[in-house]
């Protein structure tokens, strides 16, 4: 396995310069390497980093899973996934070949110590051969119930500690981090018995998206928005994470999770924290995470009564919605889903943040599968002008929309005068598009986060108390869902969710945006 070539002084500039910097030499071990996440996201992201010189000049990747496979078979499957899923502008045959050469595979059962001894020997061999300096990054991409077993085995094999006292050892843990507050606490205990908090990177890939990070730049890198970012000017906030996809091949996981665990507890609450947080003292892991946690702790806890009034769940039934006549299956007809499943594929909630900045400003959150468009956005709805001098025009307030995906950008709507003699006003938009401004498409959030982890920057990862605070908030909702049978299905595939979700806002005299 030859390490990839790296630019030496005097060599030509790399084909594509990157905004992310190279990391230390290291070995990355992916547990669950035969799985969907590894194939679609991790391997292509690692290739992208290598192709942009953001991995160190020396690195190795070991895939670990139960499926027997040779190094060569793993390399071939990695090349296949790079060609399918990596950013096409980075694809070059020579680099693909060099990348594949840095890949190795270890097959083993997670509960068997000998599998981890085999892994250890392979790590030592690669360390020696490629001078990787003993730096190791373990990526847990198996089903979550396997995480404690892997952590225990890493400990027993002596792999959780630096092999030479100088190098770093870090672990990235995929979501879902637990399935409720108790299990998240237990997992934190298991992890922190073996690793120190500084070694642990709890990943939420939404935080690696450029537009999500740009939210902090918008707020704290500009002087004009922050003075308006509070209850005096903001009427309400809408956060949407809508998908057109259904459950696809993930029923085994999704049936035990549902939209609240899968999306609200993680991605949507992360967005909420970033919108609502106070300015951090610095852009570093401690300061940013401290401020985000304060938001979660200020959200008014849900009670039985507020769940009844402020939370709506849904499950898609059959429907059209694709602009053609083909009917999409209802959730209960998807492969692997129970015929009487109570799993929610949609959830909307109204949050109250009890602090000085946000008291009285509702935050409406919604997420769902099989909605009419794939869009994740944050919409800040400002109050209307206090006195309307343009009579009879009934103007709504201005809206600032941060489009997280797919058309990343920021747009602000305001009123302009229509040309002509009459004083007629029309809402218009001022748009900033990432694509138009920087020529950048949707970048891999995984690449950003893996690179951050390799550089020891945990700012965009969650801390133990952060995941626990998010679970504490959604736990009463999960308990209530468990004990109250829903009337499902209650929205047709390809529509914007159940009618009750519309009523949630109409009751307050507001409407969901239809992005
Ligand atoms: P998969 O279901 O594809 O599982 C990954 C691999 O784990 C499988 O290839 C399998 O490999 C192994 N595995 C499966 N079941 C078991 C088991 N009971 N015991 C031990 N190993 C098992 O999962 P994904 O790749 O989709 O996801 C991996 C993790 O990442 C999960 O925690 C998921 O929640 C999380 N995640 C996934 C996302 C995605 O888009 N896929 C997005 C965000 C998070 P083998 O049989 O060869 O051992
Ligand atoms: C994952 C969820 O964390 O995020 C999936 O498990 C969901 O159910 C996905 O589809 C959405 O991510 P993205 O980046 O496609 O919006």
């Amino acid at each position: 396995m030859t390490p990839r070539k790296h630019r030496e002084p005097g060599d030509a500039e790399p084909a594509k310069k990157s905004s992310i910097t190279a990391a230390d030499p290291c070995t990355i071990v992916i547990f669950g390497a035969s799985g969907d996440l590894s194939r679609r996201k991790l391997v292509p992201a690692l290739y992208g980093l290598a192709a942009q010189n953001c991995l160190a000049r020396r690195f190795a990747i070991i895939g670990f899973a139960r499926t027997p496979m040779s190094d060569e078979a793993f390399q071939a499957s990695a090349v296949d996934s790079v060609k399918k899923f990596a950013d096409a502008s980075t694809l070059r045959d020579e680099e693909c070949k060099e990348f594949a050469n840095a890949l190795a595979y270890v097959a083993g059962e997670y509960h068997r110590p000998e599998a981890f001894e085999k892994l250890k020997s392979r790590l030592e061999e690669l360390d020696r051969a490629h001078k990787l300096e003993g730096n190791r990054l373990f990526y847990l991409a198996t089903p979550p119930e396997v995480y404690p077993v892997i952590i225990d085995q890493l400990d027993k094999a002596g792999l959780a500690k630096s092999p030479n006292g100088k190098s770093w050892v870090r672990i990235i843990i995929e979501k879902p981090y637990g399935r409720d507050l108790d299990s998240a606490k237990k997992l934190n205990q298991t992890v922190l018995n073996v690793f120190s908090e500084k070694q642990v990177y709890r990943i939420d890939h939404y935080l690696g998206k450029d537009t999500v990070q740009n939210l902090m730049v918008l707020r704290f890198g500009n002087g004009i928005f922050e003075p308006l970012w509070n209850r005096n000017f903001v009427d309400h906030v809408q956060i949407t994470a809508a998908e057109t996809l259904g459950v696809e091949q993930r029923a085994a996981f999704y049936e035990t999770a549902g939209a609240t665990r899968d999306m609200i507890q993680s991605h949507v609450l992360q967005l909420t924290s970033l919108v609502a947080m106070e300015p951090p003292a610095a852009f570093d892991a401690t300061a940013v995470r401290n401020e985000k946690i304060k938001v979660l702790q200020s959200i008014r806890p849900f009670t039985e009564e507020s769940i009844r009034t402020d939370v709506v769940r849904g499950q898609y039934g059959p429907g059209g919605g694709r602009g053609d006549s083909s009917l999409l299956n209802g959730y209960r007809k998807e492969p692997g889903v129970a015929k009487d499943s109570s799993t929610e594929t949609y959830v909307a909630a109204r949050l109250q943040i009890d602090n000085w900045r946000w008291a009285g400003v509702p935050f409406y959150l919604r997420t769902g599968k099989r909605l009419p468009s794939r869009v994740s956005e944050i919409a800040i709805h400002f109050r209307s002008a206090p006195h309307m001098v343009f009579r009879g025009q009934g103007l709504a307030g201005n809206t600032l929309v941060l489009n997280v995906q797919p058309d990343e950008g920021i747009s602000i709507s305001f009123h302009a005068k229509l040309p002509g003699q009459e004083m007629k006003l029309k809402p218009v938009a001022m748009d900033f598009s990432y694509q138009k401004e920087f020529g950048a498409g949707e970048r891999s959030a995984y690449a950003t986060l893996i690179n951050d982890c390799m550089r020891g920057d945990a700012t965009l990862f969650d801390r133990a108390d952060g995941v626990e605070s998010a679970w504490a908030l959604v736990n009463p909702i999960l308990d209530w869902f468990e004990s109250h049978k829903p009337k499902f299905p209650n929205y047709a595939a390809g529509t914007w969710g159940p009618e009750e979700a519309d009523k949630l806002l109409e009751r307050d005299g507001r409407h969901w945006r239809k992005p």
Side-chain angles (χ1 to χ4, degrees):
M1 185 166 319
T2 30
R4 57 190 284 274
K5 286 189 212 100
H6 198 79
R7 208 158 59 90
E8 296 294 342
D11 281 0
E13 281 284 299
K16 182 164 178 188
K17 277 196 146 197
S18 166
S19 53
I20 28 189
T21 50
D24 299 333
C26 72
T27 311
I28 301 135
V29 180
I30 303 175
F31 291 105
S34 60
D36 175 75
L37 182 72
S38 172
R39 201 173 60 83
R40 281 192 310 113
K41 302 284 184 183
L42 305 183
V43 168
L46 287 163
Y47 169 77
L49 286 173
Q52 295 178 79
N53 287 329
C54 295
L55 289 186
R57 94 180 61 176
R58 302 184 301 273
F59 72 94
I61 297 167
I62 302 180
F64 185 109
R66 298 169 308 177
T67 306
M69 222 189 305
S70 63
D71 283 352
E72 292 71 24
F74 184 55
Q75 291 168 358
S77 89
V79 169
D80 188 52
S81 58
V82 165
K83 289 192 171 153
K84 269 202 194 111
F85 300 111
D87 175 357
S89 69
T90 62
L91 282 184
R92 283 176 288 275
D93 280 349
E94 190 53 29
E95 299 210 12
C96 229
K97 223 158 114 193
E98 281 180 26
F99 176 75
N101 282 340
L103 265 57
Y105 185 80
V106 174
E109 296 285 339
Y110 292 97
H111 61 279
R112 301 189 85 104
E114 47 291 11
F116 284 76
E117 287 305 325
K118 203 159 71 177
L119 173 64
K120 190 176 182 180
S121 324
R122 206 72 207 267
L123 276 164
E124 288 167 353
E125 178 195 314
L126 291 169
D127 254 0
R128 272 194 307 274
H130 304 304
K131 301 194 180 65
L132 298 174
E133 300 174 15
N135 295 317
R136 289 160 187 183
L137 165 53
F138 297 110
Y139 198 121
L140 304 196
T142 60
E145 56 276 17
V146 192
Y147 298 167
V149 186
I150 299 175
I151 289 162
D152 183 45
Q153 295 288 6
L154 286 173
D155 184 29
K156 288 192 176 130
L159 286 170
K161 293 199 169 47
S162 166
N164 54 24
K166 288 189 293 211
S167 61
W168 52 258
V169 175
R170 298 182 187 132
I171 183 164
I172 297 185
I173 304 179
E174 257 304 337
K175 67 168 276 278
Y177 195 89
R179 52 170 288 107
D180 53 20
L181 179 58
D182 282 347
S183 57
K185 280 184 173 166
K186 210 163 149 216
L187 181 56
N188 271 334
Q189 272 166 12
T190 306
V191 172
L192 296 174
N193 274 340
V194 174
F195 294 94
S196 71
E197 179 65 39
K198 275 183 93 168
Q199 293 176 282
V200 184
Y201 290 71
R202 298 171 191 80
I203 194 166
D204 182 314
H205 76 275
Y206 260 54
L207 291 178
K209 293 180 191 276
D210 272 334
T211 359
V212 174
Q213 294 169 64
N214 200 41
L215 170 55
M216 281 189 277
V217 177
L218 178 90
R219 289 191 57 195
F220 309 129
N222 296 292
I224 56 173
F225 297 110
E226 203 47 27
L228 308 178
W229 212 263
N230 57 55
R231 64 192 303 273
N232 297 324
F233 296 93
V234 176
D235 176 71
H236 73 283
V237 177
Q238 294 186 17
I239 300 181
T240 300
E243 298 184 86
T244 49
L245 289 180
V247 69
E248 311 302 305
Q249 308 309 318
R250 295 178 71 212
F253 158 72
Y254 202 81
E255 274 284 88
T256 61
T260 314
R261 285 191 175 89
D262 188 35
M263 295 293 290
I264 298 282
Q265 184 275 339
S266 48
H267 309 320
V268 180
L269 283 179
Q270 289 289 351
L271 296 182
T272 309
S273 309
L274 291 171
V275 175
M277 72 196 250
E278 293 301 314
F283 188 61
D284 66 34
T286 307
V288 170
R289 298 192 294 185
N290 282 350
E291 295 307 334
K292 282 169 56 194
I293 286 165
K294 283 185 209 158
V295 173
L296 295 176
Q297 291 168 343
S298 306
I299 296 174
R300 192 177 301 167
F302 283 98
T303 59
E304 274 226 25
E305 200 190 330
S306 67
I307 292 168
R308 282 179 200 281
T309 55
D310 293 353
V311 180
V312 173
R313 61 180 153 162
Q315 185 191 82
Y316 61 86
R322 284 277 167 87
D324 58 27
S325 54
S326 63
L327 200 68
L328 295 163
N329 274 337
Y331 178 71
R332 290 175 177 182
K333 283 256 174 75
E334 302 277 25
V337 171
K339 291 196 174 8
D340 58 348
S341 172
S342 300
T343 303
E344 81 281 3
T345 59
Y346 176 99
V347 64
R350 179 182 190 272
L351 301 185
Q352 304 274 9
I353 303 181
D354 289 330
N355 64 20
W356 277 54
R357 187 185 283 265
W358 296 115
V361 178
F363 278 58
Y364 300 100
L365 319 180
R366 65 176 161 169
T367 184
K369 295 207 182 275
R370 283 277 188 253
L371 300 186
S373 48
R374 175 185 179 238
V375 58
S376 296
E377 64 162 40
I378 297 162
I380 314 290
H381 292 256
F382 290 93
R383 292 179 191 279
S384 327
H387 169 65
M388 195 43 66
V389 292
F390 306 105
R391 287 178 197 287
Q393 303 269 352
L395 302 181
N398 309 91
T399 310
L400 174 71
V401 179
L402 289 115
N403 202 351
V404 175
Q405 60 188 23
D407 304 316
E408 294 108 318
I410 299 172
S411 159
I412 184 152
S413 73
F414 57 95
H415 300 102
K417 181 187 170 302
L418 278 171
Q421 199 57 38
E422 276 183 86
M423 178 54 85
K424 277 207 169 155
L425 310 193
K426 180 179 184 290
V428 291
M430 204 150 62
D431 283 331
F432 154 65
S433 150
Y434 258 85
Q435 170 66 41
K436 283 192 194 131
E437 186 67 29
F438 303 123
E442 201 174 323
R443 265 185 353 116
S444 163
Y446 283 93
T448 304
L449 294 173
I450 293 172
N451 180 264
D452 276 5
C453 173
M454 289 192 291
R455 291 185 298 107
D457 183 351
T459 310
L460 300 176
F461 292 82
D462 220 352
R463 213 164 54 189
D465 48 354
V467 278
E468 288 181 18
S469 301
W471 279 119
L473 190 72
V474 300
N475 227 58
I477 302 177
L478 297 170
D479 290 344
W480 194 88
F481 283 179
E482 196 99 325
S483 53
H484 295 76
K485 237 184 143 31
K487 289 197 184 108
F488 282 166
N490 59 352
Y491 71 98
T495 65
W496 277 108
E499 263 175 42
E500 290 74 23
D502 292 337
K503 290 188 189 139
L504 181 70
L505 268 73
E506 282 161 15
R507 203 182 64 202
D508 296 346
R510 301 184 176 108
H511 300 278
W512 288 112
R513 283 169 46 78
K514 299 272 187 263

